[in-house]
Amino acid sequence: YTRYKLARHMLAMKLFGILLSAIIISIIMAYNFWEQDFTTSILLYRHNIWIIYLPLILYIKPTQRSISSSLFAFTVLSLCVWLGQIIGLIPVTLRESIWGEVIDEVNEFGGRAVYGIRIITFAFYLFLAEMAYKFTKKNLIKVLVTFITIVFASQRALLLFALPIMAYTFIFKVNIKRSYKTAIAFLFIVVAIVFFVKTSDVWISFIEETVNQLGDKDYNRWMAVDYFLNNYNSGPFTVIFGNGFLSMHNYGGRLIHELGYRGIFIDDIGMLGVWVRYGVIPILVTYYIIIKVVK
């Protein structure tokens, strides 16, 4: 056990060194290709230095039980924040767009965005796997609470996959009596039908908006992917090591700001945006750590 623990600690230290090196290299890329001085980069990177804490998760190696408990606590907290905003107990902080417009992000169910809520998708599939392994009331509650949170968050892309996968898990993977499976399947179908009928206007608008966006070549996320992958990088080195986190004091940072007026935002493309800024190495290390922790 001691040898295994020492090996894990050494691996965490190596990954920490790799991530720190990747950040330093991206700072050099910002200096070489965008003429951003090192002092500016260091001041900007203080907001993004969290990435070097990822190896700490591997160093600690939390148990699946602690990961599951933490994710469920976060899910419940997110749901409480969402409900608190609805009934007015929690004040809503409205954010401002880059051109000064105040953004009030009320979704179709009357709620607003909760920071970090997308990690609940990972929690949902983890809880489904736990329920498939061992069906208990506790695991069932975890799945249902997490699914309700996803529904209220109005993440339509998540629901398109979450709902059928949850139905498949309940009917074919959960190890319970056949009569219970039949009852659960029947109840699930009835609840799903009633829910979708009662909220049909919402789902029709979801589907229409999604179809229109996916088929629209001018959809802002398609434009963001195309621009940042094909037109923003300064050369082959920035494709591998990133462009750096740029300020408004250089052309690259001002360009990102100006693209916002066209609806093109680097944060809209998720991990691709991380790739553009920091290169491919932090992404590979991040997913490697996640796999090693969950494995």
Side-chain angles (χ1 to χ4, degrees):
Y1 172 77
T2 303
R3 185 178 299 176
Y4 167 76
K5 188 175 181 180
L6 179 61
R8 191 177 73 241
H9 292 176
M10 292 298 295
L11 177 61
M13 292 302 296
K14 289 179 181 178
L15 294 175
F16 173 82
I18 293 173
L19 280 175
L20 187 58
S21 299
I23 290 175
I24 293 174
I25 293 173
S26 71
I27 291 176
I28 295 174
M29 294 296 104
Y31 175 79
N32 285 336
F33 294 97
W34 298 102
E35 300 180 354
Q36 178 166 284
D37 62 90
F38 294 128
T39 302
T40 300
S41 290
I42 292 172
L43 291 174
L44 286 172
Y45 274 62
R46 75 186 188 276
H47 299 296
N48 300 274
I49 205 67
W50 60 267
I51 197 169
I52 66 176
Y53 291 106
L54 288 172
L56 181 63
I57 301 175
L58 184 60
Y59 183 87
I60 297 173
K61 186 62 176 179
T63 63
Q64 181 175 328
R65 181 177 180 181
S66 62
I67 294 174
S68 179
S69 299
S70 299
L71 289 174
F72 184 65
F74 179 78
T75 301
V76 173
L77 180 62
S78 298
L79 186 60
C80 290
V81 170
W82 188 88
L83 292 173
Q85 293 175 349
I86 295 296
I87 61 180
L89 291 178
I90 298 178
V92 178
T93 301
L94 302 180
R95 63 187 181 91
E96 190 174 301
S97 68
I98 59 174
W99 51 82
E101 178 187 357
V102 176
I103 300 175
D104 189 359
E105 295 180 325
V106 179
N107 62 30
E108 286 77 1
F109 291 98
R112 291 173 171 85
V114 179
Y115 291 113
I117 200 169
R118 285 177 175 81
I119 199 174
I120 294 177
T121 309
F122 174 78
F124 173 73
Y125 290 114
L126 176 63
F127 298 154
L128 271 182
E130 290 178 352
M131 190 181 65
Y133 176 74
K134 186 177 182 181
F135 182 80
T136 63
K137 291 181 179 178
K138 183 178 180 180
N139 288 339
L140 177 62
I141 291 173
K142 284 183 177 181
V143 170
L144 294 179
V145 170
T146 310
F147 180 74
I148 289 171
T149 307
I150 291 176
V151 171
F152 285 163
S154 296
Q155 297 294 326
R156 59 182 180 277
L158 304 181
L159 287 172
L160 291 176
F161 295 98
L163 189 61
I165 291 175
M166 184 170 68
Y168 174 80
T169 303
F170 268 110
I171 297 171
F172 298 106
K173 292 297 182 180
V174 174
N175 187 22
I176 55 177
K177 294 181 179 179
R178 184 177 294 275
S179 58
Y180 289 166
K181 283 189 177 183
T182 303
I184 290 175
F186 177 76
L187 180 63
F188 182 85
I189 292 172
V190 170
V191 171
I193 291 174
V194 172
F195 177 76
F196 281 112
V197 169
K198 291 293 184 180
T199 59
S200 59
D201 293 340
V202 173
W203 297 108
I204 291 173
S205 65
F206 272 172
I207 294 172
E208 289 178 349
E209 182 181 356
T210 302
V211 171
N212 291 334
Q213 288 175 345
L214 293 178
D216 184 5
K217 66 178 181 180
D218 293 327
Y219 178 40
N220 63 320
R221 283 183 172 84
W222 292 146
M223 292 192 297
V225 170
D226 176 68
Y227 188 88
F228 284 109
L229 290 186
N230 298 320
N231 302 304
Y232 187 74
N233 294 305
S234 298
F237 287 104
T238 57
V239 173
I240 300 173
F241 300 111
N243 294 270
F245 195 85
L246 304 176
S247 76
M248 289 287 292
H249 299 292
N250 60 67
Y251 175 70
R254 289 194 298 271
L255 180 58
I256 291 178
H257 178 82
E258 291 168 2
L259 287 171
Y261 290 96
R262 295 164 50 190
I264 298 176
F265 302 97
I266 192 170
D267 293 331
D268 276 349
I269 55 178
M271 275 297 181
L272 288 177
V274 176
W275 184 354
V276 170
R277 279 175 168 157
Y278 304 107
V280 70
I281 296 175
I283 296 176
L284 295 177
V285 173
T286 299
Y287 281 113
Y288 177 78
I289 291 174
I290 293 173
I291 292 171
K292 292 291 289 185
V293 169
V294 177
K295 187 176 179 182

